[in-house]
Amino acid sequence: MTVSILKNYIAGEFVSGCREFRNINPVTGEIVNLVCEADQELVSQAVVAAKQALKGPWGKFSVQQRAALLHKVADGIEARFDEFVAAEMADTGKSLQQASSIDIPRGAANFRVFADMVKTASSNCFHSDTEDGKGALNYSLPRPLGVVAVIAPWNLPLLLLTWKLAPALAAGNCIVAKPSEETPSTATLLAEVMHEAGVPAGVFNLVHGYGPNSAGEFLTSHPQIDAITFTGESRTGSAIMRAAAEHVKPLSFELGGKNAAVIFADADLDDAVAGTARSVFTNGGQVCLCTERVYVQREIFETFVDKLKAKAEQLKIGWPKESDTDMGPLISAEHKNKVLSYYRLAREEGATFITGGGVPEFGDQRDQGAWVEPTIITGLPETSRCIKEEIFGPICHITPFDTEEEAISLANDSRYGLAAAIWTRDISRGHRVAKAMDAGMVWVNTWYLRDLRTPFGGVKMSGIGREGGQHSLNFYAEPSNICIKL
Ligand code: NAD
């Protein structure tokens, strides 16, 4: 079998001839493809190409032309839908159901949403008659930032990459993007789609590689990058912030989480159990919005734990292509080792395992893959590392609470603040507790229900800035004020 080689895409051309690394399928541990790792020279070429493209025809594109091109890119993804789905499944092991209903459709939708939004974006205008600035007309014009470095993670590869690319292009920037080393395939297909759609050379560039001392670091520390948008671990965010400090770059950060779900005794129990199971185990717990800490009012604690256990044990762990598969493997052997190290730590810290805690056995090639069992634990003190640190796997800890105040204080006792879910039938309590959450996004009686226009992002170690709708466009285009003396 010949293994294909994924190339970098620079100045409108696919470029090879570099050191290669292996992209592994986490279902079986087999090679998906080989990937050309961009060295410092190639990254630099990509940045220079993007800089030059700003001065070319792209810089003169009208908003209508940019929007039309983005719709063409969305058409191109949809035309090659099955290829994108297969590539995302091979890189991540996620189920056909998830890749075909969430990842790839959202990848295309991101281009359409921002193409439409940028066409109707308005700017401020002041016909100044106040004491300061009297007798002038002020108006602001959105200006692209220039060359934006886009660094994406592996958990929702195409979806999160395009969530940044689409608004950045809609706003008129040029891009150098680096997908995760774990998931290079759909980004490479996207480069082909951009090429076929007629995106001018240099407007979109793709470099492959790792983070430290590889394409990621070369890109974020490049002096000619004008801004950085990053989704990934908080620790990586700190490293990128240090790299960006020297040249004072604008940053947009979507980082890690240790999200809480709070279940009150008055909640619709079956809804709360089903919603919490979804929020813990979706994508093997590898969504930044996933719940890892569950707080349940004491009256219903035992019943809730029993019901969540039953749900976890009903999950079908299986081949991604089978239509009834609920959960696939983790992204890699390395990540499996990390998650299993937390399962071990939980035992050392004295947790009670309600279910899971091990590795499923299949008796076929999947035993070489990156699988772990869905896991529920209880009984740990709130200070334990398993409750404090992001694990990013299919595991949650459940703690009982007595009062609303106690629930708020427990949920907020984290250095992260990305998302929270509250389950209650008391609408006033829902509003009250939602307002008290130290989190960028709060769901009441649901989870992961998203309107793409709403602000998306976290507080504390979970991020800087907001994405979504106008919030994204505000980051990728800063207003210049023009003052005309009347
Ligand atoms: P990661 O931080 O390890 O890697 C993310 C990207 O950064 C990859 O492309 C990687 O190559 C690159 N990178 C790593 N070190 C770098 C460096 N020093 N300089 C430049 N680039 C570097 O994250 P991951 O493991 O791919 O993703 C999982 C993490 O992402 C979790 O913490 C999760 O919570 C977070 N996440 C957050 C959101 C959100 O919206 N807040 C969404 C998805 C994932």
Side-chain angles (χ1 to χ4, degrees):
M1 194 184 81
T2 45
V3 178
S4 61
I5 300 177
L6 302 186
K7 299 175 182 171
N8 299 283
Y9 180 65
I10 298 171
E13 287 180 18
F14 287 91
V15 182
S16 57
C18 13
R19 194 167 62 180
E20 287 155 9
F21 63 91
R22 298 192 313 171
N23 175 25
I24 301 293
N25 180 332
V27 177
T28 57
E30 289 163 325
I31 295 184
V32 179
N33 42 39
L34 294 170
V35 189
C36 285
E37 182 181 3
D39 59 12
Q40 193 141 20
E41 172 56 28
L42 275 187
V43 171
S44 224
Q45 283 177 23
V47 176
V48 169
K51 213 61 182 181
Q52 277 171 356
L54 283 170
K55 299 189 202 118
W58 178 248
K60 299 192 174 51
F61 265 43
S62 67
V63 169
Q64 297 289 341
Q65 284 174 302
R66 290 204 300 262
L69 195 53
L70 295 190
H71 274 295
K72 247 178 126 178
V73 172
D75 294 343
I77 296 173
E78 285 160 1
R80 297 176 66 179
F81 187 83
D82 292 347
E83 265 180 273
F84 273 92
V85 168
E88 207 72 298
M89 287 171 67
D91 282 5
T92 61
K94 62 178 70 193
S95 68
L96 175 63
Q97 196 278 333
Q98 194 188 316
S100 60
S101 68
I102 301 175
D103 293 77
I104 307 308
R106 260 290 302 279
N110 285 338
F111 285 101
R112 299 207 189 280
V113 165
F114 287 105
D116 291 343
M117 191 164 280
V118 76
K119 282 194 289 191
T120 54
S122 58
S123 61
N124 283 328
C125 179
F126 301 98
H127 197 222
S128 305
D129 56 1
T130 52
E131 262 326 298
D132 46 324
K134 198 169 183 168
L137 176 70
N138 283 277
Y139 61 94
S140 53
L141 286 181
R143 295 172 70 92
L145 297 170
V147 178
V148 178
V150 175
I151 311 272
W154 46 257
N155 61 332
L156 296 155
L158 185 74
L159 188 159
L160 289 176
L161 181 69
T162 54
W163 182 234
K164 294 174 180 305
L165 282 182
L169 289 172
N173 296 282
C174 289
I175 310 290
V176 182
K178 195 200 83 63
S180 168
E181 58 275 24
E182 306 285 0
T183 52
S185 298
T186 47
T188 312
L189 283 178
L190 181 66
E192 291 176 15
V193 165
M194 295 257 188
H195 194 79
E196 289 154 8
V199 173
V203 170
F204 171 76
N205 304 275
L206 179 73
V207 291
H208 288 297
Y210 298 85
N213 201 26
S214 182
E217 189 181 327
F218 301 150
L219 181 57
T220 50
S221 57
H222 198 289
Q224 283 185 276
I225 287 291
D226 297 300
I228 300 170
T229 175
F230 166 73
T231 298
E233 274 193 44
S234 302
R235 209 174 20 167
T236 312
S238 301
I240 291 178
M241 208 166 189
R242 280 192 292 277
E246 176 150 4
H247 302 283
V248 196
K249 317 272 189 217
L251 298 168
S252 163
F253 276 177
E254 300 294 347
L255 308 178
K258 187 74 184 176
N259 308 307
V262 179
I263 293 100
F264 288 96
D266 66 8
D268 178 315
L269 192 57
D270 288 339
D271 275 3
V273 169
T276 306
R278 211 162 70 78
S279 78
V280 174
F281 300 118
T282 292
N283 207 36
Q286 302 168 115
V287 178
C288 54
L289 306 167
C290 276
T291 300
E292 292 192 6
R293 298 179 296 137
V294 182
Y295 298 100
V296 180
Q297 205 153 22
R298 202 172 299 277
E299 297 94 293
I300 57 162
F301 183 77
E302 302 295 338
T303 319
F304 183 91
V305 171
D306 287 348
K307 282 179 175 267
L308 194 67
K309 173 181 193 287
K311 279 270 181 225
E313 290 175 355
Q314 278 160 17
L315 291 174
K316 172 145 184 250
I317 308 173
W319 291 105
K321 277 200 171 140
E322 287 172 0
S323 59
D324 56 348
T325 290
D326 296 305
M327 208 181 95
L330 298 177
I331 188 66
S332 63
E334 189 188 348
H335 192 52
K336 171 184 171 181
N337 289 339
K338 177 185 160 185
V339 171
L340 287 180
S341 78
Y342 278 100
Y343 287 10
R344 275 196 302 281
L345 179 67
R347 284 204 175 82
E348 286 158 26
E349 287 182 324
T352 302
F353 278 70
I354 303 298
T355 189
V359 172
E361 282 178 21
F362 300 101
D364 56 33
Q365 311 100 289
R366 285 173 293 179
D367 291 337
Q368 315 308 314
W371 302 80
V372 298
E373 288 174 343
T375 297
I376 300 172
I377 54 175
T378 59
L380 288 178
E382 288 297 303
T383 49
S384 67
R385 279 182 52 204
C386 284
I387 293 188
K388 290 290 171 219
E389 297 172 13
E390 182 185 44
I391 301 171
F392 218 54
I395 176 170
C396 71
H397 179 272
I398 317 184
T399 305
F401 69 87
D402 292 300
T403 65
E404 186 177 308
E405 292 67 33
E406 187 190 1
I408 293 170
S409 141
L410 286 166
N412 285 343
D413 185 13
S414 171
R415 60 201 179 111
Y416 294 104
L418 189 58
I422 298 159
W423 297 87
T424 176
R425 280 200 179 96
D426 179 339
I427 186 76
S428 300
R429 191 203 312 259
H431 284 290
R432 202 166 53 232
V433 177
K435 190 175 172 200
M437 286 291 113
D438 279 346
M441 291 162 282
V442 183
W443 281 284
V444 179
N445 294 330
T446 186
W447 177 77
Y448 204 179
L449 186 59
R450 291 271 305 126
D451 176 330
L452 302 187
R453 295 167 301 179
T454 58
F456 183 100
V459 301
K460 299 194 267 189
M461 295 274 290
S462 291
I464 299 176
R466 291 291 176 272
E467 299 189 307
Q470 195 56 43
H471 303 276
S472 294
L473 293 176
N474 288 349
F475 175 74
Y476 295 110
E478 282 186 335
S480 282
N481 189 67
I482 295 169
C483 176
I484 311 281
K485 175 92 177 75
L486 295 177

